[in-house]
Amino acid sequence: MMDIALYSLVDDMVSKSGTEGVVEYWLRVGESYAERMGKEAYVGWPAFNVAMKEGRTSLTVEGAANVLTDLAITDKDGDVIGYVYALKTCPVAPTMSRFIKKIGPIHDSDSDVAENYNSRIRDSAVSNYCITHQKFREVAANNITVSKQGLECLHLANKGRLGDVKMVKENLDRINVDERHIKSILRSASCVFALIVKGKSAGDEED
């Protein structure tokens, strides 16, 4: 019943507020949820990555994430300024599967909201629920420090239910990772994102 209610809610929201109104609502939900998670501080990247693996950080609330230590992001001097992470399963995937199995195709409102977000804000949503999840990660990352340095989350790619893929090229360029590598990660993951020291890019010199 909750699966039906969730998709019926989106349909109703679109009819009353339009797709743009729903996008703004999901952005507020993601931000509010992340702010309620509170602040986190880690002495270094090893400590933070252990927390990610053990599910002890707000960024694993959505589900288990693989820490891709082979994709460490480094500055000009070779110092690590971040890592790439892969969310194993979309948290909404079970809801989608149950809805399709019991009711039928997902409502058009789902893709309509995603398309509005993609055209106005960033071309990175394969479902309307991506909006909340991506905003959540971005705000939650802003509440985390590693070695007393603030973090930011860069959304890299995600995969839809039917295998469609969205890539954020400007973020891939910023961490100097080839999109073919990210596509290989998506074979066994739903979303791929990077966490880096705020304001940094691969190859930058440390201050």
Side-chain angles (χ1 to χ4, degrees), residues 64-68 84-89 185 188-193:
N66 285 328
V67 181
L68 305 177
V84 174
Y85 303 85
L87 186 67
K88 296 178 184 179
T89 304
I185 295 169
S188 58
S190 293
C191 296
V192 184
F193 58 96

Side-chain angles (χ1 to χ4, degrees), residues 156-191:
L156 302 180
N158 59 339
K159 179 177 64 181
R161 182 177 55 84
L162 299 178
D164 46 321
V165 171
K166 290 285 186 181
M167 293 266 185
V168 184
K169 189 177 186 304
E170 59 267 30
N171 287 344
L172 290 172
D173 291 344
R174 186 170 165 189
I175 64 170
N176 196 26
V177 172
D178 193 295
E179 67 176 52
R180 291 172 295 182
H181 197 145
I182 301 300
K183 285 181 179 178
S184 70
I185 295 169
L186 284 173
R187 293 172 189 159
S188 58
S190 293
C191 296

Side-chain angles (χ1 to χ4, degrees), residues 42-63:
Y42 299 89
V43 296
W45 285 106
F48 175 72
N49 284 335
V50 168
M52 285 288 286
K53 291 175 182 178
E54 296 182 352
R56 293 187 284 104
T57 169
S58 60
L59 288 167
T60 53
V61 166
E62 296 179 293

Side-chain angles (χ1 to χ4, degrees), residues 7 15 34 59 83 106 136 149 152 155 169 181 183 188 202-203:
Y7 278 103
S15 68
L59 288 167
Y83 285 92
I106 300 294
F136 169 80
Q149 295 180 298
E152 63 178 307
H155 184 69
K169 189 177 186 304
H181 197 145
K183 285 181 179 178
S188 58

